[in-house]
Amino acid sequence: MNEPLALEPLVLGIETSCDETGIGIVRGRTLLSNTIASSMDEHARYGGVVPEVAARAHLEALQPTIDAALAEAQVSLHDLDAIAVTSGPGLAGALMVGVGAAKGLAVSLNKPLYAVNHLVGHIAADIVTPESEPLEYPTIALLVSGGHTSLLHVRDLTTDVELLGETIDDAAGEAFDKVARLLSLPYPGGPEIDRAADSSPSGAGDPKAIRFPRGLSKATDMAKHRYDFSFSGLKTAVARWVEREEDAGRALSASQRADVAASFREAVVDVLVTKALAACADRGVPRLLLGGGVIANKRLREVAIQRAESAGVTVRIPPLSLCTDNGAMIAALAADLIASGRRPSTLAFGADSTLPVTEIQVAERVETQGSAA
């Protein structure tokens, strides 16, 4: 366990921060397997992720998912050079399942263990994207998911990630879910809002039909919250619009539902892209990386690419299979930590639901005098 690891180590990554059990295997920056078992269908009946249900689903899915990933990568557990796991942020109970499994594997196999940050992992997803050019630093990263909306300045993946701003209430993905419920659409809300916005009887909803608020975008907000996000007010504005129609005895038509969905989506996209490009301009960084499950929203991708091109900013988006929570990004981050000479984590770490993004690796082993640890 104290032997130096290869510069292209074979790493198995475990990701259980929310409702997807992700196991990924990489060799350096080469992706060998990205295997995911989702419990989304189990949560759909509740209209959102239930932490206890997620934790139980991870327990049931973990071993079969590990077996499937090893089979796809055509390697065995004993071939591995290291184990990696998400320590946080995320749902505490869900994280505990992955952390416990990773520690058990590391000890039983006598392999080094790397406990890493989930959000930084989303950035690392880009480095195992097949046939992509190497990620240049510094870069601005916009991470948008059901639980997180964060804007980061990444000077170096393994040593220097700065949090510029984040949501102060609902994450963007949460807002999509809640607005979908207001419109009587199923969970998860993101793809359903997309579908509703594009399926008006006249062809598509009008994104300019209703001027919904852009949270924390007023001049009075910018001094303190230039890079922060707020979607709670937007959600409330949609709720009030729907309530006014219902109070007037008017049921939402398909065209109105499409207009509301399109207008809501446009408000979210406008704020996300505007603040991300402002960070690029302010920091003098002509690169923007998008990550997280909400990046699957096609309107967000379209607007980001169009507006970034006008601003002279290059946009990078990993494949959608690597944007959602996955173990490959965790393995990739650990592989880069190993290549940069970082020591493994000790076993003295646990699940940290509020792990700050600046803590890229958790509980790195400290080298003591006379020890090669």
Side-chain angles (χ1 to χ4, degrees):
M1 204 164 173
N2 294 332
E3 293 295 320
L5 296 176
L7 290 179
E8 291 194 342
L10 183 65
V11 183
L12 180 144
I14 300 174
E15 156 58 34
T16 62
S17 67
C18 192
D19 62 337
E20 289 164 319
T21 306
I23 304 297
I25 300 175
V26 304
R27 189 182 299 280
R29 294 187 169 188
T30 301
L31 178 63
L32 302 182
S33 175
N34 179 30
T35 306
I36 298 172
S38 175
S39 60
M40 185 179 295
D41 290 344
E42 297 178 50
H43 301 285
R45 70 184 73 174
Y46 305 107
V49 175
V50 179
E52 293 82 1
V53 173
R56 287 197 299 271
H58 288 310
L59 280 170
E60 295 172 1
L62 200 56
Q63 187 61 58
T65 311
I66 290 174
D67 292 341
L70 291 168
E72 182 180 5
Q74 299 184 344
V75 298
S76 73
L77 286 173
H78 295 283
D79 294 327
L80 299 172
D81 292 313
I83 308 294
V85 66
T86 297
S87 177
L91 301 175
L95 289 166
M96 288 172 64
V97 176
V99 167
K103 288 183 178 181
L105 278 175
V107 171
S108 65
L109 297 170
N110 194 32
K111 302 291 184 181
L113 175 62
Y114 286 79
V116 303
N117 191 295
H118 170 82
L119 294 179
V120 183
H122 275 298
I123 304 166
D126 182 83
I127 67 178
V128 289
T129 297
E131 301 178 1
S132 67
E133 294 295 321
L135 180 62
E136 292 184 60
Y137 302 107
T139 187
I140 299 298
L142 175 64
L143 308 181
V144 193
S145 68
H148 305 282
T149 304
S150 305
L151 193 57
L152 314 175
H153 188 176
V154 185
R155 297 180 185 87
D156 184 86
L157 180 64
T158 60
T159 62
D160 192 352
V161 177
E162 178 188 358
L163 177 66
L164 298 179
E166 59 188 343
T167 182
I168 64 172
D169 42 56
D170 291 343
E174 290 177 284
F176 272 98
D177 292 338
K178 291 175 180 178
V179 168
R181 280 202 294 274
L182 291 171
L183 297 178
S184 301
L185 299 173
Y187 173 86
E192 295 297 334
I193 292 289
D194 248 7
R195 194 172 293 116
D198 296 333
S199 59
S200 167
S202 60
D206 180 2
K208 297 180 181 179
I210 309 163
R211 176 67 185 184
F212 286 128
R214 272 65 169 162
L216 298 182
S217 295
K218 296 179 180 177
T220 53
D221 297 318
M222 294 302 282
K224 185 178 180 181
H225 294 290
R226 183 168 180 79
Y227 304 127
D228 289 323
F229 303 92
S230 173
F231 298 105
S232 180
L234 170 59
K235 173 202 67 182
T236 300
V238 176
R240 287 175 176 167
W241 193 95
V242 173
E243 287 169 2
R244 282 196 296 270
E245 292 298 303
E246 292 175 343
D247 290 345
R250 295 188 291 268
L252 285 184
S253 66
S255 295
Q256 285 179 310
R257 182 175 285 104
D259 286 346
V260 172
S263 299
F264 162 75
R265 181 179 65 179
E266 199 70 9
V268 174
V269 168
D270 187 19
V271 170
L272 291 172
V273 175
T274 296
K275 292 196 174 235
L277 291 179
C280 289
D282 295 345
R283 296 299 177 106
V285 177
R287 289 172 288 277
L288 175 62
L289 171 67
L290 305 182
V294 176
I295 301 304
N297 186 284
K298 67 176 184 179
R299 182 60 180 164
L300 174 54
R301 299 196 306 273
E302 290 170 355
V303 172
I305 291 170
Q306 291 169 0
R307 290 175 56 179
E309 183 177 359
S310 299
V313 172
T314 301
V315 175
R316 292 176 69 108
I317 308 174
L320 296 186
S321 61
L322 291 171
C323 284
T324 56
D325 294 346
N326 64 86
M329 68 186 193
I330 302 306
L333 177 54
D336 248 35
L337 288 166
I338 292 167
S340 66
R342 297 283 286 272
R343 289 177 288 274
S345 300
T346 71
L347 296 180
F349 72 92
D352 186 346
S353 61
T354 59
L355 184 69
V357 72
T358 50
E359 196 166 347
I360 299 167
Q361 180 188 351
V362 179
E364 182 182 5
R365 185 176 301 149
V366 177
E367 185 173 353
T368 58
Q369 189 172 5
S371 170

